[in-house]
Amino acid sequence: MIIEIIRADITSVNVDAIVNAANSQLQHGAGVAGAIAREGGPEIQRESDAIGHVPVGQAVVTRGGNLLARYVIHAVGPRMGEGDEDAKLRSATISSLERAEELKIDSLALPAISTGIFGYPVDRCARVMLTAVRDFEPRARSLKRIVFCLFGQPAYDTFQKAMQELSNGG
């Protein structure tokens, strides 16, 4: 499996599915969710509304609407301070990968889940998410390409550094 780290708007990435950093109610407000709602159109919110509540650490799928990606995988990450945040972020990441495998797709883009208004530190996020993807790799059947899509330069740099450290056994 190829793991890439890029700096871009996740709605512009040419992959089969993108991951939305979602809240439990699947309401698309600001940040990644807002960008996905704006670019993807109202179909995504309508499908999300039909799903209802999703527990922290889980992920569900809607179609991609007007996005380049055919699907949106809505992963509910933790809010800092709620407890057991690392395990919940790992679970949200693994759940996203499992949904991608169920769709039998070969490419997936993920943002830095929970690092916006949920307050999760980017450096911790990078280590947890990159480790989760690496741990999932032996289970991957259809997934061939994972893209970590970071919007800002600081997040991009942090993920690059974490990837280098993990590659060096850190």
Side-chain angles (χ1 to χ4, degrees):
M1 181 178 349
I2 297 168
I3 301 172
E4 300 173 38
I5 299 172
I6 65 170
R7 184 174 170 225
D9 175 343
I10 199 165
T11 65
S12 71
V13 180
N14 189 11
V15 291
D16 296 320
I18 61 175
V19 173
N20 172 28
N23 57 49
S24 291
Q25 292 74 38
L26 301 184
Q27 293 302 304
H28 305 106
V32 172
I36 289 170
R38 278 190 306 280
E39 296 299 320
E43 173 186 345
I44 297 170
Q45 186 63 66
R46 278 195 301 274
E47 285 189 36
S48 296
D49 290 344
I51 293 168
H53 183 269
V54 178
V56 174
Q58 296 301 307
V60 296
V61 179
T62 64
R63 287 176 293 201
N66 300 325
L67 296 169
L68 290 174
R70 292 181 308 193
Y71 303 102
V72 177
I73 298 173
H74 306 269
V76 181
R79 293 178 186 270
M80 280 311 290
E82 72 182 30
D84 210 15
E85 296 93 354
D86 291 356
K88 290 174 182 176
L89 179 59
R90 178 181 171 78
S91 178
T93 304
I94 297 290
S95 186
S96 296
L97 298 167
E98 290 171 343
R99 298 298 81 76
E101 283 290 325
E102 289 166 3
L103 294 167
K104 295 180 176 27
I105 60 174
D106 64 17
S107 58
L108 177 69
L110 298 110
I113 296 171
S114 290
T115 61
I117 60 170
F118 283 11
Y120 201 97
V122 176
D123 58 335
R124 250 170 91 181
C125 174
R127 290 189 70 78
V128 169
M129 290 186 73
L130 285 163
T131 300
V133 168
R134 288 229 168 131
D135 291 349
F136 185 83
E137 192 170 355
R139 295 172 41 199
R141 298 294 170 255
S142 64
L143 278 171
K144 305 288 184 254
R145 179 175 166 239
I146 303 295
V147 180
F148 282 94
C149 185
L150 295 311
F151 191 73
Q153 191 67 42
Y156 171 84
D157 292 343
T158 301
F159 268 73
Q160 285 283 26
K161 181 180 178 201
M163 177 76 123
Q164 186 65 44
E165 289 171 356
L166 289 170
S167 295
N168 292 334

